[in-house]
């Protein structure tokens, strides 16, 4: 007869891990559902106009009629940007079937992030259409847009840019902020995008 003690500890550890994972998943789902009760209008994005990677103008009017997820990045960032880019890529792929959802990444390092550099960056992340745009402008405009437009810190660009994803509705209104480096926060954002999408369809 095999002693019971040989298997008791591994079984208890496995059970504890399964329990923790189950509780974590339940918590994320509950948080997402609770936060759907009301997405407040936090602010309205002001008028702005920047250049997209293809050289075309892109501005506040292009936010109208679509749900947008906005972030501030720079292409040679070795800090949080790669994680943010991976999470934005996941969202970009998740909503591939909708032309009502777009993703907007704004460079905080226009000196190095030329249009060509932004084109190459987009290709590296599998962007094949204009559902995810990459914008650049002069540094003062970018700083103003980050601080006054999206209410995000921009003290020492490019290094000290915000890691937040900003959810903007089809009227150009800011509806929420989410950590661009946290999977649970990104999952809640995904749920909120779907909720807003159902409202305009």
């Amino acid at each position: 007869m095999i002693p019971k003690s040989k298997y008791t500890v591994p079984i208890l550890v496995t059970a504890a891990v399964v329990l923790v994972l189950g509780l974590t998943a339940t918590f994320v789902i509950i948080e997402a559902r609770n936060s759907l009760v009301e997405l407040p209008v936090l602010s309205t994005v002001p008028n702005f106009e920047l250049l997209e990677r293809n050289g075309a103008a892109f501005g506040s009017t292009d936010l109208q009629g679509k749900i947008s997820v906005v972030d501030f990045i720079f292409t040679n960032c070795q800090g949080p940007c790669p994680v943010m880019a991976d999470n934005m890529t996941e969202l970009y792929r998740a909503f591939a079937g909708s032309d009502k959802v777009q993703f907007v990444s704004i460079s905080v390092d226009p000196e190095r992030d030329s249009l060509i550099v932004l084109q190459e960056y987009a290709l590296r992340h599998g962007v094949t259409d204009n559902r995810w745009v990459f914008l650049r402008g002069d540094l003062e405009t970018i700083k103003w847009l980050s601080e006054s437009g999206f209410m995000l810190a921009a003290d020492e660009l490019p290094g000290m840019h915000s890691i937040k994803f900003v959810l903007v509705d089809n009227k150009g209104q800011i509806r929420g902020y989410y950590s661009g480096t946290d999977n649970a926060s990104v999952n809640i954002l995904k749920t909120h995008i779907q909720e807003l999408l159902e409202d305009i369809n």
Side-chain angles (χ1 to χ4, degrees):
M1 183 174 179
I2 301 173
K4 293 181 180 179
S5 60
K6 181 178 180 180
Y7 298 101
T8 301
V9 172
I11 289 172
L12 289 175
V13 169
T14 302
V17 170
V18 170
L19 179 61
V20 169
L21 291 175
L23 290 174
T24 301
T26 301
F27 174 77
V28 170
I29 292 169
I30 291 172
E31 282 295 300
R33 287 178 177 169
N34 287 344
S35 58
L36 285 178
V37 173
E38 182 179 355
L39 279 176
V41 175
L42 303 174
S43 183
T44 299
V45 178
N47 291 332
F48 73 91
E49 186 172 279
L50 301 171
L51 284 182
E52 213 278 313
R53 68 187 187 276
N54 60 14
F58 185 102
S60 48
T61 57
D62 296 290
L63 302 179
Q64 300 294 320
K66 294 187 178 184
I67 297 157
S68 304
V69 179
V70 181
D71 70 349
F72 290 80
I73 54 98
F74 62 107
T75 61
N76 68 341
C77 170
Q78 299 302 311
C81 293
V83 178
M84 294 170 65
D86 287 345
N87 285 330
M88 194 73 96
T89 299
E90 180 186 338
L91 292 170
Y92 168 74
R93 290 173 179 166
F95 292 94
S98 176
D99 61 356
K100 294 293 186 181
V101 182
Q102 66 182 354
F103 305 92
V104 182
S105 290
I106 302 171
S107 173
V108 295
D109 189 13
E111 183 175 343
R112 286 181 287 189
D113 286 344
S114 65
L115 296 181
I116 292 175
V117 169
L118 291 177
Q119 290 170 19
E120 294 170 348
Y121 185 76
L123 289 174
R124 287 202 304 273
H125 288 88
V127 181
T128 57
D129 54 30
N130 289 324
R131 290 185 305 108
W132 187 356
V133 297
F134 298 82
L135 310 181
R136 73 180 302 276
D138 66 87
L139 190 57
E140 285 305 310
T141 298
I142 298 302
K143 185 174 181 179
W144 165 81
L145 187 58
S146 178
E147 294 179 332
S148 300
F150 290 95
M151 312 305 172
L152 299 172
D155 294 331
E156 298 180 32
L157 299 180
M160 300 300 291
H161 66 88
S162 173
I163 63 170
K164 295 293 187 183
F165 287 173
V166 186
L167 178 60
V168 181
D169 67 17
N170 59 310
K171 298 177 182 178
Q173 301 174 132
I174 296 174
R175 305 298 294 274
Y177 294 89
Y178 310 80
S179 172
T181 60
D182 180 73
N183 290 337
S185 188
V186 172
N187 284 334
I188 292 173
L189 169 57
K190 190 183 298 183
T191 304
H192 288 173
I193 293 171
Q194 187 60 48
E195 181 75 5
L196 291 181
L197 190 58
E198 290 172 3
D199 287 344
I200 66 174
N201 283 338

mmCIF file of all heavy atoms in Angstrom, residues 164-199:
data_model
loop_
_atom_site.group_PDB
_atom_site.id
_atom_site.type_symbol
_atom_site.label_atom_id
_atom_site.label_comp_id
_atom_site.label_asym_id
_atom_site.label_seq_id
_atom_site.Cartn_x
_atom_site.Cartn_y
_atom_site.Cartn_z
ATOM 1 N N LYS A 164 -1.072 54.445 -19.859
ATOM 2 C CA LYS A 164 -2.513 54.222 -19.897
ATOM 3 C C LYS A 164 -3.031 54.040 -21.328
ATOM 4 O O LYS A 164 -2.539 54.654 -22.272
ATOM 5 C CB LYS A 164 -3.255 55.402 -19.264
ATOM 6 C CG LYS A 164 -2.996 55.607 -17.788
ATOM 7 C CD LYS A 164 -3.555 54.471 -16.954
ATOM 8 C CE LYS A 164 -3.445 54.763 -15.469
ATOM 9 N NZ LYS A 164 -3.924 53.625 -14.648
ATOM 10 N N PHE A 165 -4.039 53.174 -21.459
ATOM 11 C CA PHE A 165 -4.872 53.112 -22.660
ATOM 12 C C PHE A 165 -6.109 53.952 -22.355
ATOM 13 O O PHE A 165 -6.706 53.807 -21.285
ATOM 14 C CB PHE A 165 -5.303 51.682 -22.976
ATOM 15 C CG PHE A 165 -4.207 50.800 -23.527
ATOM 16 C CD1 PHE A 165 -4.433 49.443 -23.720
ATOM 17 C CD2 PHE A 165 -2.961 51.313 -23.873
ATOM 18 C CE1 PHE A 165 -3.441 48.619 -24.229
ATOM 19 C CE2 PHE A 165 -1.961 50.503 -24.387
ATOM 20 C CZ PHE A 165 -2.208 49.138 -24.564
ATOM 21 N N VAL A 166 -6.493 54.802 -23.292
ATOM 22 C CA VAL A 166 -7.641 55.694 -23.095
ATOM 23 C C VAL A 166 -8.771 55.255 -24.023
ATOM 24 O O VAL A 166 -8.577 55.146 -25.239
ATOM 25 C CB VAL A 166 -7.270 57.161 -23.383
ATOM 26 C CG1 VAL A 166 -8.437 58.076 -23.035
ATOM 27 C CG2 VAL A 166 -6.017 57.567 -22.623
ATOM 28 N N LEU A 167 -9.929 55.006 -23.450
ATOM 29 C CA LEU A 167 -11.102 54.613 -24.239
ATOM 30 C C LEU A 167 -11.905 55.857 -24.595
ATOM 31 O O LEU A 167 -12.332 56.609 -23.719
ATOM 32 C CB LEU A 167 -11.966 53.636 -23.436
ATOM 33 C CG LEU A 167 -13.264 53.157 -24.101
ATOM 34 C CD1 LEU A 167 -12.977 52.424 -25.411
ATOM 35 C CD2 LEU A 167 -14.051 52.265 -23.146
ATOM 36 N N VAL A 168 -12.102 56.064 -25.899
ATOM 37 C CA VAL A 168 -12.836 57.222 -26.411
ATOM 38 C C VAL A 168 -14.044 56.714 -27.193
ATOM 39 O O VAL A 168 -13.910 55.817 -28.042
ATOM 40 C CB VAL A 168 -11.944 58.088 -27.326
ATOM 41 C CG1 VAL A 168 -12.709 59.303 -27.845
ATOM 42 C CG2 VAL A 168 -10.681 58.529 -26.573
ATOM 43 N N ASP A 169 -15.211 57.258 -26.900
ATOM 44 C CA ASP A 169 -16.414 56.772 -27.587
ATOM 45 C C ASP A 169 -16.587 57.419 -28.952
ATOM 46 O O ASP A 169 -15.756 58.214 -29.404
ATOM 47 C CB ASP A 169 -17.655 56.948 -26.700
ATOM 48 C CG ASP A 169 -18.037 58.410 -26.458
ATOM 49 O OD1 ASP A 169 -17.583 59.306 -27.202
ATOM 50 O OD2 ASP A 169 -18.809 58.670 -25.513
ATOM 51 N N ASN A 170 -17.685 57.091 -29.615
ATOM 52 C CA ASN A 170 -17.923 57.541 -30.982
ATOM 53 C C ASN A 170 -18.260 59.025 -31.085
ATOM 54 O O ASN A 170 -18.390 59.562 -32.184
ATOM 55 C CB ASN A 170 -19.049 56.716 -31.620
ATOM 56 C CG ASN A 170 -20.349 56.812 -30.849
ATOM 57 O OD1 ASN A 170 -20.378 56.629 -29.630
ATOM 58 N ND2 ASN A 170 -21.435 57.096 -31.544
ATOM 59 N N LYS A 171 -18.353 59.703 -29.937
ATOM 60 C CA LYS A 171 -18.593 61.148 -29.928
ATOM 61 C C LYS A 171 -17.337 61.924 -29.522
ATOM 62 O O LYS A 171 -17.404 63.124 -29.284
ATOM 63 C CB LYS A 171 -19.750 61.482 -28.976
ATOM 64 C CG LYS A 171 -21.077 60.849 -29.387
ATOM 65 C CD LYS A 171 -22.166 61.162 -28.377
ATOM 66 C CE LYS A 171 -23.479 60.489 -28.781
ATOM 67 N NZ LYS A 171 -24.549 60.739 -27.781
ATOM 68 N N GLY A 172 -16.224 61.216 -29.425
ATOM 69 C CA GLY A 172 -14.977 61.872 -29.032
ATOM 70 C C GLY A 172 -14.882 62.141 -27.552
ATOM 71 O O GLY A 172 -14.112 63.006 -27.116
ATOM 72 N N GLN A 173 -15.637 61.387 -26.746
ATOM 73 C CA GLN A 173 -15.646 61.570 -25.299
ATOM 74 C C GLN A 173 -14.802 60.488 -24.622
ATOM 75 O O GLN A 173 -14.908 59.315 -24.964
ATOM 76 C CB GLN A 173 -17.080 61.497 -24.766
ATOM 77 C CG GLN A 173 -17.993 62.549 -25.374
ATOM 78 C CD GLN A 173 -19.443 62.366 -24.957
ATOM 79 O OE1 GLN A 173 -20.096 63.308 -24.542
ATOM 80 N NE2 GLN A 173 -19.948 61.149 -25.063
ATOM 81 N N ILE A 174 -13.991 60.888 -23.662
ATOM 82 C CA ILE A 174 -13.179 59.942 -22.911
ATOM 83 C C ILE A 174 -14.072 59.222 -21.902
ATOM 84 O O ILE A 174 -14.737 59.842 -21.092
ATOM 85 C CB ILE A 174 -12.024 60.661 -22.196
ATOM 86 C CG1 ILE A 174 -11.068 61.272 -23.235
ATOM 87 C CG2 ILE A 174 -11.273 59.694 -21.276
ATOM 88 C CD1 ILE A 174 -9.975 62.134 -22.634
ATOM 89 N N ARG A 175 -14.030 57.870 -21.958
ATOM 90 C CA ARG A 175 -14.909 57.072 -21.112
ATOM 91 C C ARG A 175 -14.167 56.213 -20.084
ATOM 92 O O ARG A 175 -14.795 55.646 -19.198
ATOM 93 C CB ARG A 175 -15.793 56.173 -21.980
ATOM 94 C CG ARG A 175 -16.595 56.924 -23.033
ATOM 95 C CD ARG A 175 -17.569 57.915 -22.413
ATOM 96 N NE ARG A 175 -18.612 57.265 -21.662
ATOM 97 C CZ ARG A 175 -19.749 56.817 -22.188
ATOM 98 N NH1 ARG A 175 -19.991 56.973 -23.490
ATOM 99 N NH2 ARG A 175 -20.660 56.238 -21.429
ATOM 100 N N GLY A 176 -12.839 56.107 -20.211
ATOM 101 C CA GLY A 176 -12.131 55.305 -19.225
ATOM 102 C C GLY A 176 -10.637 55.256 -19.475
ATOM 103 O O GLY A 176 -10.165 55.528 -20.588
ATOM 104 N N TYR A 177 -9.904 54.920 -18.400
ATOM 105 C CA TYR A 177 -8.449 54.757 -18.452
ATOM 106 C C TYR A 177 -8.103 53.355 -17.950
ATOM 107 O O TYR A 177 -8.682 52.886 -16.961
ATOM 108 C CB TYR A 177 -7.758 55.793 -17.570
ATOM 109 C CG TYR A 177 -7.925 57.221 -18.041
ATOM 110 C CD1 TYR A 177 -9.002 57.987 -17.612
ATOM 111 C CD2 TYR A 177 -7.004 57.805 -18.906
ATOM 112 C CE1 TYR A 177 -9.167 59.300 -18.037
ATOM 113 C CE2 TYR A 177 -7.151 59.119 -19.338
ATOM 114 C CZ TYR A 177 -8.234 59.852 -18.896
ATOM 115 O OH TYR A 177 -8.395 61.150 -19.327
ATOM 116 N N TYR A 178 -7.140 52.728 -18.588
ATOM 117 C CA TYR A 178 -6.787 51.347 -18.280
ATOM 118 C C TYR A 178 -5.266 51.200 -18.346
ATOM 119 O O TYR A 178 -4.611 51.840 -19.177
ATOM 120 C CB TYR A 178 -7.440 50.387 -19.281
ATOM 121 C CG TYR A 178 -8.915 50.648 -19.454
ATOM 122 C CD1 TYR A 178 -9.361 51.691 -20.282
ATOM 123 C CD2 TYR A 178 -9.868 49.899 -18.784
ATOM 124 C CE1 TYR A 178 -10.716 51.968 -20.424
ATOM 125 C CE2 TYR A 178 -11.225 50.163 -18.919
ATOM 126 C CZ TYR A 178 -11.643 51.203 -19.739
ATOM 127 O OH TYR A 178 -12.987 51.476 -19.873
ATOM 128 N N SER A 179 -4.732 50.344 -17.500
ATOM 129 C CA SER A 179 -3.292 50.090 -17.551
ATOM 130 C C SER A 179 -2.948 49.308 -18.812
ATOM 131 O O SER A 179 -3.485 48.214 -19.040
ATOM 132 C CB SER A 179 -2.840 49.308 -16.319
ATOM 133 O OG SER A 179 -1.491 48.907 -16.475
ATOM 134 N N GLY A 180 -2.049 49.861 -19.613
ATOM 135 C CA GLY A 180 -1.655 49.189 -20.845
ATOM 136 C C GLY A 180 -0.694 48.043 -20.628
ATOM 137 O O GLY A 180 -0.342 47.336 -21.578
ATOM 138 N N THR A 181 -0.276 47.839 -19.372
ATOM 139 C CA THR A 181 0.672 46.761 -19.076
ATOM 140 C C THR A 181 0.071 45.677 -18.187
ATOM 141 O O THR A 181 0.770 44.733 -17.810
ATOM 142 C CB THR A 181 1.938 47.322 -18.386
ATOM 143 O OG1 THR A 181 1.560 47.957 -17.157
ATOM 144 C CG2 THR A 181 2.655 48.322 -19.282
ATOM 145 N N ASP A 182 -1.202 45.799 -17.868
ATOM 146 C CA ASP A 182 -1.851 44.853 -16.961
ATOM 147 C C ASP A 182 -2.937 44.072 -17.698
ATOM 148 O O ASP A 182 -3.886 44.658 -18.221
ATOM 149 C CB ASP A 182 -2.457 45.601 -15.771
ATOM 150 C CG ASP A 182 -3.148 44.666 -14.800
ATOM 151 O OD1 ASP A 182 -2.444 43.938 -14.080
ATOM 152 O OD2 ASP A 182 -4.391 44.646 -14.780
ATOM 153 N N ASN A 183 -2.802 42.753 -17.735
ATOM 154 C CA ASN A 183 -3.729 41.921 -18.502
ATOM 155 C C ASN A 183 -5.163 42.025 -18.006
ATOM 156 O O ASN A 183 -6.103 42.058 -18.811
ATOM 157 C CB ASN A 183 -3.270 40.459 -18.480
ATOM 158 C CG ASN A 183 -2.010 40.224 -19.285
ATOM 159 O OD1 ASN A 183 -1.698 40.995 -20.195
ATOM 160 N ND2 ASN A 183 -1.279 39.179 -18.955
ATOM 161 N N ALA A 184 -5.347 42.075 -16.689
ATOM 162 C CA ALA A 184 -6.704 42.168 -16.148
ATOM 163 C C ALA A 184 -7.365 43.468 -16.577
ATOM 164 O O ALA A 184 -8.546 43.498 -16.952
ATOM 165 C CB ALA A 184 -6.669 42.055 -14.628
ATOM 166 N N SER A 185 -6.604 44.566 -16.541
ATOM 167 C CA SER A 185 -7.138 45.862 -16.954
ATOM 168 C C SER A 185 -7.479 45.871 -18.441
ATOM 169 O O SER A 185 -8.505 46.418 -18.857
ATOM 170 C CB SER A 185 -6.118 46.965 -16.635
ATOM 171 O OG SER A 185 -6.671 48.242 -16.862
ATOM 172 N N VAL A 186 -6.629 45.247 -19.249
ATOM 173 C CA VAL A 186 -6.873 45.175 -20.695
ATOM 174 C C VAL A 186 -8.118 44.335 -20.977
ATOM 175 O O VAL A 186 -8.896 44.648 -21.885
ATOM 176 C CB VAL A 186 -5.642 44.613 -21.430
ATOM 177 C CG1 VAL A 186 -5.951 44.346 -22.903
ATOM 178 C CG2 VAL A 186 -4.460 45.585 -21.315
ATOM 179 N N ASN A 187 -8.339 43.282 -20.192
ATOM 180 C CA ASN A 187 -9.540 42.464 -20.375
ATOM 181 C C ASN A 187 -10.800 43.247 -20.050
ATOM 182 O O ASN A 187 -11.830 43.108 -20.721
ATOM 183 C CB ASN A 187 -9.464 41.208 -19.499
ATOM 184 C CG ASN A 187 -8.514 40.164 -20.058
ATOM 185 O OD1 ASN A 187 -8.275 40.115 -21.261
ATOM 186 N ND2 ASN A 187 -7.956 39.337 -19.190
ATOM 187 N N ILE A 188 -10.728 44.093 -19.022
ATOM 188 C CA ILE A 188 -11.869 44.958 -18.701
ATOM 189 C C ILE A 188 -12.099 45.950 -19.843
ATOM 190 O O ILE A 188 -13.240 46.201 -20.252
ATOM 191 C CB ILE A 188 -11.633 45.688 -17.374
ATOM 192 C CG1 ILE A 188 -11.658 44.683 -16.210
ATOM 193 C CG2 ILE A 188 -12.684 46.778 -17.143
ATOM 194 C CD1 ILE A 188 -11.260 45.268 -14.867
ATOM 195 N N LEU A 189 -11.021 46.505 -20.382
ATOM 196 C CA LEU A 189 -11.132 47.420 -21.523
ATOM 197 C C LEU A 189 -11.811 46.728 -22.696
ATOM 198 O O LEU A 189 -12.685 47.310 -23.356
ATOM 199 C CB LEU A 189 -9.737 47.910 -21.928
ATOM 200 C CG LEU A 189 -9.619 48.662 -23.258
ATOM 201 C CD1 LEU A 189 -10.534 49.882 -23.300
ATOM 202 C CD2 LEU A 189 -8.161 49.067 -23.507
ATOM 203 N N LYS A 190 -11.431 45.499 -22.954
ATOM 204 C CA LYS A 190 -12.033 44.742 -24.058
ATOM 205 C C LYS A 190 -13.545 44.622 -23.872
ATOM 206 O O LYS A 190 -14.319 44.788 -24.821
ATOM 207 C CB LYS A 190 -11.391 43.356 -24.132
ATOM 208 C CG LYS A 190 -11.763 42.558 -25.372
ATOM 209 C CD LYS A 190 -11.155 41.154 -25.341
ATOM 210 C CE LYS A 190 -9.644 41.212 -25.331
ATOM 211 N NZ LYS A 190 -9.052 39.836 -25.376
ATOM 212 N N THR A 191 -13.962 44.368 -22.640
ATOM 213 C CA THR A 191 -15.392 44.268 -22.338
ATOM 214 C C THR A 191 -16.086 45.605 -22.554
ATOM 215 O O THR A 191 -17.198 45.662 -23.100
ATOM 216 C CB THR A 191 -15.590 43.807 -20.877
ATOM 217 O OG1 THR A 191 -14.906 42.573 -20.667
ATOM 218 C CG2 THR A 191 -17.062 43.618 -20.562
ATOM 219 N N HIS A 192 -15.440 46.685 -22.167
ATOM 220 C CA HIS A 192 -16.035 48.017 -22.327
ATOM 221 C C HIS A 192 -16.119 48.422 -23.799
ATOM 222 O O HIS A 192 -17.076 49.085 -24.207
ATOM 223 C CB HIS A 192 -15.233 49.036 -21.526
ATOM 224 C CG HIS A 192 -15.417 48.908 -20.052
ATOM 225 N ND1 HIS A 192 -14.678 49.626 -19.135
ATOM 226 C CD2 HIS A 192 -16.259 48.127 -19.319
ATOM 227 C CE1 HIS A 192 -15.073 49.307 -17.910
ATOM 228 N NE2 HIS A 192 -16.012 48.398 -18.004
ATOM 229 N N ILE A 193 -15.123 48.048 -24.572
ATOM 230 C CA ILE A 193 -15.188 48.314 -26.021
ATOM 231 C C ILE A 193 -16.418 47.625 -26.605
ATOM 232 O O ILE A 193 -17.180 48.223 -27.381
ATOM 233 C CB ILE A 193 -13.917 47.824 -26.731
ATOM 234 C CG1 ILE A 193 -12.696 48.632 -26.305
ATOM 235 C CG2 ILE A 193 -14.094 47.907 -28.258
ATOM 236 C CD1 ILE A 193 -11.379 48.060 -26.805
ATOM 237 N N GLN A 194 -16.596 46.366 -26.244
ATOM 238 C CA GLN A 194 -17.735 45.604 -26.766
ATOM 239 C C GLN A 194 -19.053 46.242 -26.357
ATOM 240 O O GLN A 194 -19.991 46.319 -27.154
ATOM 241 C CB GLN A 194 -17.663 44.163 -26.256
ATOM 242 C CG GLN A 194 -18.707 43.230 -26.863
ATOM 243 C CD GLN A 194 -18.571 43.127 -28.373
ATOM 244 O OE1 GLN A 194 -17.465 42.917 -28.892
ATOM 245 N NE2 GLN A 194 -19.677 43.297 -29.080
ATOM 246 N N GLU A 195 -19.115 46.707 -25.118
ATOM 247 C CA GLU A 195 -20.335 47.359 -24.629
ATOM 248 C C GLU A 195 -20.654 48.622 -25.434
ATOM 249 O O GLU A 195 -21.790 48.854 -25.855
ATOM 250 C CB GLU A 195 -20.173 47.703 -23.153
ATOM 251 C CG GLU A 195 -21.377 48.371 -22.522
ATOM 252 C CD GLU A 195 -22.516 47.423 -22.245
ATOM 253 O OE1 GLU A 195 -22.358 46.205 -22.457
ATOM 254 O OE2 GLU A 195 -23.580 47.913 -21.818
ATOM 255 N N LEU A 196 -19.642 49.468 -25.657
ATOM 256 C CA LEU A 196 -19.863 50.683 -26.450
ATOM 257 C C LEU A 196 -20.192 50.346 -27.894
ATOM 258 O O LEU A 196 -20.995 51.032 -28.537
ATOM 259 C CB LEU A 196 -18.609 51.579 -26.395
ATOM 260 C CG LEU A 196 -18.297 52.235 -25.049
ATOM 261 C CD1 LEU A 196 -17.039 53.096 -25.175
ATOM 262 C CD2 LEU A 196 -19.454 53.084 -24.557
ATOM 263 N N LEU A 197 -19.583 49.280 -28.391
ATOM 264 C CA LEU A 197 -19.841 48.863 -29.771
ATOM 265 C C LEU A 197 -21.294 48.437 -29.948
ATOM 266 O O LEU A 197 -21.922 48.762 -30.961
ATOM 267 C CB LEU A 197 -18.903 47.700 -30.124
ATOM 268 C CG LEU A 197 -18.833 47.246 -31.588
ATOM 269 C CD1 LEU A 197 -18.419 48.398 -32.485
ATOM 270 C CD2 LEU A 197 -17.862 46.076 -31.720
ATOM 271 N N GLU A 198 -21.820 47.746 -28.957
ATOM 272 C CA GLU A 198 -23.227 47.331 -29.026
ATOM 273 C C GLU A 198 -24.166 48.527 -28.995
ATOM 274 O O GLU A 198 -25.226 48.503 -29.591
ATOM 275 C CB GLU A 198 -23.530 46.385 -27.868
ATOM 276 C CG GLU A 198 -22.862 45.018 -28.007
ATOM 277 C CD GLU A 198 -23.008 44.165 -26.758
ATOM 278 O OE1 GLU A 198 -23.677 44.623 -25.800
ATOM 279 O OE2 GLU A 198 -22.452 43.040 -26.745
ATOM 280 N N ASP A 199 -23.740 49.585 -28.328
ATOM 281 C CA ASP A 199 -24.573 50.796 -28.240
ATOM 282 C C ASP A 199 -24.701 51.524 -29.577
ATOM 283 O O ASP A 199 -25.708 52.186 -29.826
ATOM 284 C CB ASP A 199 -24.007 51.758 -27.192
ATOM 285 C CG ASP A 199 -24.246 51.260 -25.780
ATOM 286 O OD1 ASP A 199 -25.092 50.369 -25.597
ATOM 287 O OD2 ASP A 199 -23.575 51.768 -24.857
#
